[in-house]
């Protein structure tokens, strides 16, 4: 009976010879399914409108809308905070509704209309809520501000601005670690009062 050391040495030598023979012959030891899997994950083409511009991209089926916006389209205004839908830093509008872009798969956006913070202003003219955030000093570090503003726009469009309490309730999915909530509510109230 061969020793453990002899068995391992023999197995290694035989395995190496099989691989070397396959390489010399130009054949593959990998099956067709494994070769296909090694080529990459499945991907899809998605056509959507982002900030008024029609875009068609091919993305890995696992790509989030946030990663599509930031990494594929270069729109870095939407922030990656928790990447779990708990902070609201990635909030964008999809067909006019507030969405946590980190939780939404890009392949689900076929035909959708997406508005990011970059698409709110009209050239150099800020959106009224963007201006209200400046007027009310409703930010400190600014990391959550794009998501707060888009959530505020959604809140106003949905008609959830009857009182400061209602605004706080409907924007509760957007976290400000600097604690600017009072000023954020004031900014939303300021614009909601104009409507």
């Amino acid at each position: 009976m061969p020793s453990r050391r002899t068995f391992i040495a023999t197995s290694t030598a035989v395995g190496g010879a099989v691989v070397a023979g396959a390489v010399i012959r130009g054949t593959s030891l990998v099956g067709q399914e494994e070769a296909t899997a090694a080529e990459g994950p499945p991907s899809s083409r998605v056509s959507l409108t982002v900030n008024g511009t029609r875009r068609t991209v091919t993305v890995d089926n696992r790509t989030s809308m946030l990663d599509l916006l930031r990494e594929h389209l270069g729109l870095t205004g939407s922030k990656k905070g928790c990447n779990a839908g708990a902070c609201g830093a990635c909030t964008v509008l999809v067909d006019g509704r507030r969405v946590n872009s980190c939780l939404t798969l890009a392949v689900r956006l076929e035909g959708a209309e997406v508005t990011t913070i970059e698409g709110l202003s009209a050239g150099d003219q800020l959106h009224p809520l963007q201006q209200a955030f400046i007027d009310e000093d409703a930010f400190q570090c600014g990391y959550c501000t794009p998501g707060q503003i888009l959530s505020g726009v959604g809140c106003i469009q949905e008609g959830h601005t009857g009182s400061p309490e209602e605004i706080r309730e409907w924007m509760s999915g957007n976290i400000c670690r600097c604690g600017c909530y009072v000023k954020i509510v004031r900014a939303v109230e300021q614009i909601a009062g104009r409507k």
Side-chain angles (χ1 to χ4, degrees):
M1 174 149 237
S3 70
R4 181 173 180 267
R5 181 171 287 163
T6 304
F7 175 77
I8 291 172
T10 303
S11 297
T12 303
V14 170
V18 169
V19 170
V23 169
I24 290 169
R25 286 190 308 276
T27 60
S28 173
L29 296 176
V30 179
Q32 184 61 33
E33 284 181 21
E34 291 158 330
T36 302
E39 290 172 9
S43 61
S44 299
R45 286 176 56 86
V46 180
S47 292
L48 66 160
T49 302
V50 181
N51 299 329
T53 303
R54 191 77 174 154
R55 308 293 287 266
T56 300
V57 293
T58 301
V59 293
D60 178 326
N61 289 347
R62 301 167 296 179
T63 302
S64 70
M65 177 180 12
L66 178 60
D67 288 340
L68 168 69
L69 294 171
R70 292 180 60 82
E71 297 173 16
H72 296 268
L73 302 180
L75 299 170
T76 57
S78 303
K79 303 302 182 203
K80 188 177 279 195
C82 65
N83 209 27
C87 73
C90 67
T91 303
V92 297
L93 300 177
V94 176
D95 297 328
R97 296 179 51 99
R98 296 180 276 175
V99 172
N100 287 334
S101 61
C102 71
L103 295 181
T104 305
L105 290 174
V107 294
R108 305 282 315 259
L109 297 173
E110 182 62 40
E113 188 167 322
V114 178
T115 303
T116 69
I117 193 70
E118 293 92 344
L120 272 186
S121 61
D124 291 338
Q125 181 67 42
L126 293 177
H127 183 279
L129 190 56
Q130 289 173 308
Q131 187 61 54
F133 263 65
I134 294 168
D135 296 343
E136 296 292 341
D137 197 24
F139 53 91
Q140 189 169 330
C141 79
Y143 196 80
C144 73
T145 304
Q148 295 280 2
I149 290 173
L150 283 158
S151 187
V153 168
C155 194
I156 292 166
Q157 289 174 353
E158 295 159 12
H160 298 299
T161 57
S163 67
E165 293 75 24
E166 185 178 16
I167 293 169
R168 280 195 291 276
E169 175 67 26
W170 284 91
M171 289 192 59
S172 62
N174 290 80
I175 295 172
C176 175
R177 291 188 172 99
C178 300
C180 294
Y181 296 112
V182 172
K183 295 177 180 183
I184 290 169
V185 169
R186 272 195 224 134
V188 174
E189 279 184 306
Q190 177 184 325
I191 301 310
R194 291 184 189 168
K195 290 206 158 210

